[in-house]
């Protein structure tokens, strides 16, 4: 079975990847689990994506890419307490990554640490003052009266 995920609709790719993962020799392939997770994420099925990405990370814990995608899915599901440790690990490796800075700021904000969120954003904007994503996160956080109750 030839894998052509990129040229397919998410539903077709998901079905094909699930079939591939049923093959015993491929069941423990972290890249297939990650691909399935990304396709599920693309289709808005974040909880299922989280399960596949958690498996990919378990099978290949050194993959920064897998951990990044898992952290983004956690954030999308407002699971900030789970996202933050992953984001902090990734930030230590990529301190200039504005997507990571923004996601960390959102997590800190929603975990009732708005001062830490603002500090992180201010530092990020000092280095990348024109970054639209950081500016939008800054504006969003500044407009909020109080953080939401954190989801675990």
């Amino acid at each position: 079975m030839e894998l052509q995920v990129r040229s397919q609709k998410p539903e077709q790719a998901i079905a094909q990847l699930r079939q591939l993962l049923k093959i015993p020799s491929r069941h423990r392939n972290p890249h297939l689990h990650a691909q399935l997770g990304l396709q599920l994420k693309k289709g808005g099925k974040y909880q299922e994506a989280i399960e596949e990405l958690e498996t990919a990370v378990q099978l290949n814990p050194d993959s920064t890419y897998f951990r990044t995608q898992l952290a983004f899915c956690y954030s999308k599901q407002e699971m900030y307490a789970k996202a933050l440790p992953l984001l902090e690990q990734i930030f230590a490796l990529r301190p200039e990554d504005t997507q990571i800075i923004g996601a960390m700021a959102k997590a800190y904000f929603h975990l009732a640490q708005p001062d830490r969120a603002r500090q992180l954003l201010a530092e990020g904007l000092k280095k990348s003052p024109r970054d639209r994503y950081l500016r939008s996160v800054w504006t969003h956080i500044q407009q909020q009266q109080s953080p939401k109750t954190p989801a675990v």
Side-chain angles (χ1 to χ4, degrees), residues 22 40 48 71 78 88 96 98 127-128 131 133-134 137-138 143-144:
K22 287 180 182 178
L40 290 162
E48 290 177 68
E78 298 183 0
E88 288 173 334
E96 306 294 323
T98 58
K127 294 175 187 172
S128 302
D131 188 276
Y133 177 62
L134 290 182
V137 174
W138 176 267
Q143 291 174 347
Q144 297 296 310

Side-chain angles (χ1 to χ4, degrees), residues 56-74:
V57 168
Q58 184 180 40
L59 294 170
N60 186 357
D62 295 331
S63 174
T64 302
Y65 181 72
F66 297 168
R67 287 185 285 140
T68 302
Q69 295 305 313
L70 178 57
F72 288 159
C73 284
Y74 283 150

